[in-house]
Amino acid sequence: ATLVSLELPDRHGKLEDCVLGYDRLDGYLKSSPYFGSIVGRYGNRIAKGQFVLNGITYHLAKNNGENHLHGGIKGFDKVVWNAEPVKEAGAVGVKFAYLSKDGEEGYPGNLACAVTYTLTNNDELIIRYEATSDKATPINLTHHSYFNFTGGRRDILGHELTLNVDRYTPVDKGLIPTGELAQVAGTAMDFTTPLPIGLRIAQVEGGYDHNYVLTGSGGTMALAARVVEPDSGRIMEISTTEPGIQFYSGNFLDGTISGKSGRVYQKHFGFCLE
């Protein structure tokens, strides 16, 4: 269920692929940092690889230091989904389905998931997530494309980001939220007005990898983020029904991955809005 290409026109109508990835399947299977993936059962980190639910402690893989990350050793990014085409009025797409069995990666319950990607005639990419379980279980599905609206030719630090937020969740050294909901105003975390991603990134230890609390969120579709790449003129707006959005500035890209057309992905060569 991985998005491998997203071609977007610049202000002159020139199409370029604006998500990081590989030219061949092998790359995704061997060493992908979740390029274009559907992440599950649980996007982001679970502290110390365990959680308590209904009085039972569940133990998960510690695949990110002492913590559990993005569903574990074989998360939803590494499984084969069933797929079928979708046709709607003014749109086409693919519906992916996967059954995560009780106990998979340590999680309880048989979890039936469906993720539908739809491309509309209005240049919208719509991602719909559905899941049902026969036991109580934590679930936090997300999409993990690394965007770069220069077509992947240089870093994303000049992209201008706006986030419709007023608070964020500070994290500890292991990138686990502390529980505090801090105001963004007056800090390097503030993107309530359009600013280049790289303008204050040096003030954020390690770079941006934080969850933001969306203003007015909670079940209704609302604008969460807007990104503008000034040179190409490409613009992306993200709307979601979810209460938060994770902004990641590609801090762990380190030049060891050769991606599409042999391009070497250096630090900050892609950003994610999960």
Side-chain angles (χ1 to χ4, degrees), residues 28-257:
Y28 293 96
L29 298 178
K30 291 178 179 176
S31 61
S32 177
Y34 307 97
F35 286 147
S37 298
I38 293 296
V39 173
R41 287 188 187 187
Y42 200 91
N44 222 321
R45 294 162 179 86
I46 296 178
K48 302 188 186 321
Q50 64 181 37
F51 62 90
V52 178
L53 183 61
N54 294 335
I56 300 172
T57 300
Y58 293 89
H59 297 277
L60 311 171
K62 296 179 180 179
N63 61 326
N64 185 245
E66 282 297 298
N67 303 316
H68 176 83
L69 175 68
H70 287 342
I73 303 298
K74 189 177 181 181
F76 288 5
D77 60 300
K78 298 180 180 69
V79 300
V80 178
W81 299 59
N82 293 319
E84 62 182 34
V86 172
K87 289 188 177 182
E88 302 172 356
V92 294
V94 184
K95 183 174 184 177
F96 292 94
Y98 177 67
L99 175 64
S100 175
K101 293 184 178 179
D102 189 12
E104 182 174 297
E105 287 295 322
Y107 291 93
N110 293 296
L111 186 76
C113 302
V115 177
T116 305
Y117 291 90
T118 309
L119 188 64
T120 77
N121 288 341
N122 295 322
D123 289 336
E124 298 167 312
L125 176 64
I126 299 173
I127 309 175
R128 296 185 182 94
Y129 308 84
E130 306 166 61
T132 56
S133 178
D134 58 6
K135 291 182 183 177
T137 187
I139 181 170
N140 182 32
L141 300 176
T142 193
H143 178 75
H144 207 290
S145 274
Y146 288 68
F147 298 100
N148 184 321
F149 297 145
T150 73
R153 288 191 299 274
R154 58 180 183 272
D155 66 43
I156 49 81
L157 298 179
H159 289 53
E160 296 172 357
L161 172 66
T162 311
L163 293 173
N164 187 21
V165 306
D166 52 18
R167 296 173 296 166
Y168 75 102
T169 56
V171 293
D172 63 20
K173 289 185 177 180
L175 299 176
I176 298 295
T178 63
E180 179 188 4
L181 298 181
Q183 297 290 324
V184 300
T187 75
M189 308 301 293
D190 190 349
F191 287 94
T192 53
T193 57
L195 288 174
I197 289 171
L199 183 65
R200 298 175 299 189
I201 197 169
Q203 300 174 36
V204 181
E205 185 177 357
Y208 295 103
D209 197 359
H210 297 77
N211 180 66
Y212 285 82
V213 183
L214 293 172
T215 304
S217 58
T220 57
M221 188 68 72
L223 182 67
R226 189 173 193 265
V227 183
V228 177
E229 204 291 297
D231 290 342
S232 67
R234 293 187 175 100
I235 299 171
M236 176 174 69
E237 293 182 337
I238 296 181
S239 295
T240 181
T241 59
E242 297 304 293
I245 192 165
Q246 181 90 5
F247 169 45
Y248 171 53
S249 53
N251 316 314
F252 297 113
L253 297 173
D254 60 4
T256 59
I257 293 176

Side-chain angles (χ1 to χ4, degrees), residues 17 21-24 151-152 258-265:
D17 190 354
Y22 296 96
D23 290 324
R24 297 172 57 84
S258 293
K260 297 173 181 176
S261 302
R263 285 203 176 101
V264 176
Y265 294 146

